[in-house]
Amino acid sequence: MEKISITIDGYSLEVDPGKSILNAALEADLYIPHLCHHPDLPDVGECRLCVVEIEGGGEIRTSCKTQVEDGMVIHTKTEKLNAMRRLSMELMLANHVDDCTTCPKYLKCELQSLIQYLEVSTSRLRRTLNSVPVNTSNPLFVRDLNRCVSCGRCVRACKELRGVDVLDYQMTEDDRVMVDIKNHHSMEEEHCRFCGACVEVCPTGALQDKEGVLKPNLNWDLELVPCKAECPAHTDVPRYIRAIKEGRYQDAIAIIREKAPFPHSLGYVCMAFCESVCRRKEINQSLSIRELKKFAADKDEGLWRERANFKPKTGKRVAVIGSGPAGLTAAYYLTKLGHEVTVFERLPVAGGMLTTGIPKYRLPREAVQEEISEIIRAGVTILTNTPIESLTDLKAKGFDKILLAVGAGKGNRLPIEGADYNNVYENIDFLKGVSLGSSELVGDRVVVLGGGNVAFDCARSAIRLGAKEVVIACLETREAMTASEDEILEGLKEGVKLLNGRTFLRIEGLNDKGTGVRCQEVSSFTFDESGKLQLILKPDSEHVIKADTIIFAAGQKPEIPQDWDVPVKRGNLIATENEIKVIGRNDLFAAGDAVYGTHSVIQAIAAGRKAASVIGQELNGDGDIEDKLTNDVIPSQYLGREEGFLEANRNECMDDCYNDSSACGEAGRCLQCDLRTQITRPKLWIHYKIK
Ligand code: FES
């Protein structure tokens, strides 16, 4: 297209015809004051701050609504224009509260910035201080109309950008025009989609996110998208949810795989931190993100493989000790960075907690095996039944770097009498035994001591092994138990009995065999300054819980062989810098539970990714492990009105997994918080070159 020539304040510009004068100026980094204009919205010429004078007639026009014409000579900063702008501002501010310092948008407000630029004296303003109550009645946003200047950006964003059309100008009882929900309804009644576009484009503090809804101090695209921010691996949740909704299943699995090589396993056992912060839960229930992930993983046809980025071979060798999710994730990404990676596993099977910790009924082994096979296909060598006795010997085999990803594989036994009877197990050993097929682990009566998720894994496994009576006894009250509510409810449903508020005095027994746990009831407990447990016991409450099998589920710690000579800290955790580099060593790294204690699978995966990146850099590479496994599909900004959208309840996926239609329905409940990150953030005058 042939350009045309214009002059703005003496600057000659070549611009595309059809553009507004305002856009032509702003694109040339030349500031003209404006407020109702927003780069993503149609212009309406409402605020009249963008007025300019065009030579040849001295006409004054709003520059946002006036197209450039060849040869135009435009002035933007004459005295007359400034006076007009100041008047427009004063009119706008007439109903605006003057307590900027209490506004959440203070120092980030476009209006405040304009007041400063135009040197409008706020003290001169005559105010009609009929304050309107701040509306906090909806679950996500605060509407403070006392800060509204009726620029109408929110109305246009809702109507034109999103096609939802919830907002409009409304007449108040005292004849003021204000932006409000249509028909003076609630946002819910008008089928708001809670996308946040109105809040995003509001130039003042009139529309705000409720406190606590956003996560401050993060990158912009994380702050607005809590599910992605909360996921330790920052999986792009809204992007794969949208792909599922649109039936692009191969895109969905590729997006998940951009951050984690265990999508299927995660679909079964992820702790789903994303769901706990999903904004949809403020409306009714959070999205069923983990189940949708499992659905996508079930559909995986491996098309993403073609796009997986494998860098040229570097000739460098890395040893990874431990084949749990942290170790295998690190091994996978290090292989993609071009290094030769060998994983050493002391057990007969690879997978760590995925195969020997988490019970089969929660995580089918085929899902894990398939994912491990994929890692092997990528080029990782896994040696099972291969314990490492000496790091020095291992290093001598020609490894440039060693990563310790040994997990927290040693259970804690409480120091009470009888703890070493031969029918007393530690949680990890018990679960490992179950996973590896040891039979006869349990008798008829099983008592598990502890109140976390692992206690339930042990108890529910014992039921599956044929135990007739399974009791979980723990110090905490039912409400204070650390196990997830789901686990507790499932356990109770399966017949696990709970005994809360118990302290354990000793294990009673005969001939090396425990016969019961002597307990006492606890009224309350605290920890003193040194972290020591202080109990208040109920008098005369001693009793024995009879047992044929007793399992300690009182936490785990890493098992670090003495000969490794690795610095450890409290809890036998490996001492590291930045949770990766073993202190005092250049060739030794550590990741996962062995560094920070028992956590989730997704945290281990995130730790493995970080380890791969850091080790990659230490091996003189860029450590860039980011993958782009599918084409970007630019999401539509248009949402449209959808009756029933807010009422749609979470589909709990009763038949174990979704089908195409129920998955699409559940994905359709997403508020698509990420669409807001695509809205342009207007620059303030201070950021323009020519002001
Ligand atoms: Fe042009 Fe408001 S920006 S009238």
Side-chain angles (χ1 to χ4, degrees):
M1 203 190 311
E2 208 164 309
K3 303 260 187 201
I4 57 172
S5 307
I6 60 168
T7 306
I8 303 182
D9 294 339
Y11 294 94
S12 301
L13 306 177
E14 297 290 307
V15 299
D16 290 327
K19 230 179 236 313
S20 71
I21 295 174
L22 181 63
N23 276 335
L26 299 181
E27 280 166 25
D29 229 353
L30 213 149
Y31 181 69
I32 300 176
H34 57 276
L35 188 69
C36 66
H37 166 83
H38 183 283
D40 299 353
L41 300 174
D43 281 308
V44 286
E46 202 81 46
C47 72
R48 298 197 58 78
L49 293 180
C50 67
V51 281
V52 293
E53 264 185 274
I54 299 169
E55 269 187 22
E59 234 180 310
I60 293 198
R61 303 249 199 103
T62 49
S63 61
C64 64
K65 292 292 284 176
T66 309
Q67 283 189 7
V68 288
E69 283 171 27
D70 197 27
M72 252 183 183
V73 178
I74 301 146
H75 299 280
T76 75
K77 297 193 173 61
T78 65
E79 245 332 290
K80 189 168 161 192
L81 292 173
N82 286 342
M84 285 179 75
R85 285 184 187 126
R86 276 199 290 270
L87 185 64
S88 300
M89 273 297 271
E90 286 171 8
L91 287 171
M92 257 192 286
L93 289 168
N95 291 317
H96 189 87
V97 287
D98 57 357
D99 62 336
C100 282
T101 50
T102 62
C103 178
K105 207 98 179 246
Y106 185 61
L107 296 180
K108 287 177 280 176
C109 170
E110 289 178 57
L111 184 69
Q112 189 185 17
S113 152
L114 269 162
I115 292 173
Q116 187 192 38
Y117 180 84
L118 295 172
E119 294 175 348
V120 177
S121 158
T122 47
S123 60
R124 273 183 51 215
L125 304 178
R126 205 164 38 88
R127 302 200 185 265
T128 50
L129 286 173
N130 297 333
S131 69
V132 183
V134 177
N135 185 328
T136 58
S137 62
N138 78 81
L140 292 175
F141 309 126
V142 174
R143 294 168 44 237
D144 181 357
L145 295 183
N146 305 300
R147 302 186 192 277
C148 174
V149 288
S150 296
C151 68
R153 281 193 195 175
C154 53
V155 178
R156 280 172 282 151
C158 188
K159 185 172 179 164
E160 318 280 344
L161 198 65
R162 296 286 192 252
V164 188
D165 203 10
V166 170
L167 302 169
D168 208 350
Y169 293 98
Q170 309 269 305
M171 197 65 104
T172 62
E173 278 169 12
D174 57 341
D175 288 342
R176 284 155 67 190
V177 175
M178 277 192 175
V179 170
D180 203 352
I181 317 295
K182 276 190 165 174
N183 308 311
H184 297 295
H185 276 163
S186 69
M187 290 165 88
E188 288 87 345
E189 283 167 323
E190 277 299 317
H191 309 295
C192 173
R193 300 287 299 260
F194 287 95
C195 67
C198 54
V199 178
E200 190 54 38
V201 298
C202 177
T204 72
L207 296 175
Q208 288 285 317
D209 295 287
K210 271 194 177 163
E211 210 177 320
V213 166
L214 298 188
K215 293 212 127 207
N217 310 322
L218 289 173
N219 290 343
W220 182 226
D221 68 330
L222 286 182
E223 183 179 344
L224 288 181
V225 190
C227 50
K228 184 175 169 184
E230 202 69 10
C231 174
H234 296 322
T235 311
D236 199 340
V237 178
R239 200 163 133 241
Y240 79 74
I241 297 292
R242 186 175 298 115
I244 292 174
K245 185 174 133 216
E246 293 170 0
R248 294 182 286 111
Y249 303 138
Q250 299 316 309
D251 282 352
I253 185 62
I255 293 162
I256 302 166
R257 277 198 166 273
E258 285 175 0
K259 298 292 183 187
F262 290 99
H264 214 171
S265 302
L266 289 169
Y268 283 96
V269 298
C270 190
M271 289 178 78
F273 301 113
C274 49
E275 289 185 24
S276 64
V277 293
C278 172
R279 270 189 238 164
R280 174 84 208 202
K281 88 172 179 328
E282 308 300 332
I283 291 164
N284 50 11
Q285 307 97 19
S286 65
L287 218 68
S288 190
I289 301 171
R290 179 180 48 222
E291 284 298 334
L292 287 170
K293 177 179 283 167
K294 179 154 35 117
F295 171 81
D298 278 332
K299 295 276 185 188
D300 190 356
E301 290 170 12
L303 300 187
W304 54 270
R305 279 191 205 115
E306 287 162 27
R307 303 185 62 134
N309 183 18
F310 282 83
K311 297 198 172 154
K313 297 272 176 249
T314 61
K316 301 272 171 47
R317 298 182 69 211
V318 181
V320 175
I321 306 180
S323 67
L328 288 184
T329 300
Y332 175 66
Y333 286 107
L334 282 163
T335 302
K336 289 172 94 255
L337 289 175
H339 310 306
E340 187 191 320
V341 185
T342 307
V343 179
F344 297 90
E345 171 57 57
R346 63 180 179 157
L347 293 179
V349 289
M353 285 300 132
L354 297 176
T355 43
T356 56
I358 301 169
K360 279 183 203 158
Y361 68 85
R362 285 214 288 130
L363 176 56
R365 297 302 183 249
E366 309 77 62
V368 186
Q369 272 324 319
E370 243 173 67
E371 294 178 327
I372 295 177
S373 302
E374 194 65 57
I375 289 169
I376 294 171
R377 197 175 306 152
V380 174
T381 303
I382 304 177
L383 303 177
T384 50
N385 285 320
T386 314
I388 296 297
E389 311 292 349
S390 155
L391 296 180
T392 317
D393 291 353
L394 184 64
K395 191 83 204 302
K397 287 184 180 147
F399 289 103
D400 298 279
K401 306 283 175 197
I402 299 173
L403 173 67
L404 309 175
V406 292
K410 178 87 188 105
N412 294 324
R413 246 170 227 254
L414 296 178
I416 55 174
E417 194 185 320
D420 52 358
Y421 281 129
N422 57 22
N423 57 340
V424 178
Y425 298 96
E426 289 160 19
N427 47 8
I428 293 296
D429 290 342
F430 176 76
L431 292 171
K432 201 190 300 165
V434 177
S435 290
L436 297 179
S438 308
S439 52
E440 295 167 19
L441 275 169
V442 297
D444 283 349
R445 288 169 305 188
V446 176
V447 178
V448 182
L449 308 179
N453 282 332
V454 180
F456 280 87
D457 282 348
C458 294
R460 295 177 66 191
S461 295
I463 287 178
R464 283 162 178 78
L465 287 180
K468 296 207 171 57
E469 186 184 292
V470 178
V471 172
I472 287 185
C474 65
L475 184 61
E476 302 86 359
T477 59
R478 163 77 171 78
E479 297 69 38
M481 287 174 79
T482 55
S484 70
E485 194 55 24
D486 282 357
E487 275 296 318
I488 297 175
L489 294 178
E490 287 297 317
L492 291 174
K493 220 194 299 174
E494 290 174 7
V496 174
K497 279 196 196 128
L498 269 185
L499 292 178
N500 296 97
R502 301 295 198 276
T503 184
F504 312 116
L505 306 175
R506 65 176 172 274
I507 294 175
E508 314 242 311
L510 200 66
N511 302 334
D512 290 341
K513 196 166 178 291
T515 54
V517 183
R518 179 161 287 276
C519 310
Q520 186 162 5
E521 289 185 43
V522 171
S523 309
S524 64
F525 68 91
T526 49
F527 291 93
D528 68 14
E529 278 165 13
S530 61
K532 211 164 161 238
L533 182 64
Q534 303 293 329
L535 298 172
I536 299 191
L537 301 172
K538 279 192 195 165
D540 305 323
S541 63
E542 261 190 56
H543 56 287
V544 175
I545 314 168
K546 292 208 164 130
D548 303 304
T549 307
I550 296 140
I551 304 166
F552 281 113
Q556 299 103 260
K557 58 184 178 226
E559 210 171 351
I560 312 288
Q562 282 269 316
D563 291 352
W564 283 9
D565 195 20
V566 168
V568 290
K569 53 185 185 183
R570 201 182 161 152
N572 214 31
L573 300 172
I574 300 174
T576 52
E577 282 168 37
N578 293 335
E579 293 204 330
I580 295 291
K581 238 178 145 172
V582 174
I583 286 177
R585 297 288 296 264
N586 283 329
D587 52 352
L588 209 53
F589 301 80
D593 288 1
V595 174
Y596 48 61
T598 324
H599 273 302
S600 63
V601 174
I602 188 65
Q603 275 158 310
I605 290 170
R609 284 175 58 86
K610 185 171 167 192
S613 181
V614 170
I615 295 171
Q617 285 169 35
E618 296 272 332
L619 290 171
N620 298 331
D622 57 10
D624 181 7
I625 58 164
E626 291 307 322
D627 252 334
K628 197 97 195 93
L629 298 177
T630 184
N631 283 329
D632 270 335
V633 174
I634 305 213
S636 167
Q637 291 285 321
Y638 185 89
L639 293 173
R641 272 177 97 82
E642 190 181 315
E643 292 191 15
F645 172 76
L646 295 177
E647 292 76 21
N649 282 315
R650 177 174 161 122
N651 182 335
E652 287 293 354
C653 189
M654 297 312 284
D655 300 326
D656 190 34
C657 202
Y658 289 123
N659 58 32
D660 289 13
S661 138
S662 54
C664 172
E666 181 62 15
R669 294 177 61 240
C670 180
L671 299 182
Q672 303 191 56
C673 303
D674 64 332
L675 287 186
R676 196 167 147 189
T677 64
Q678 318 246 333
I679 295 177
T680 311
R681 295 215 127 174
K683 293 198 285 182
L684 301 180
W685 64 269
I686 193 100
H687 299 121
Y688 284 86
K689 220 188 235 161
I690 304 151
K691 305 174 174 67

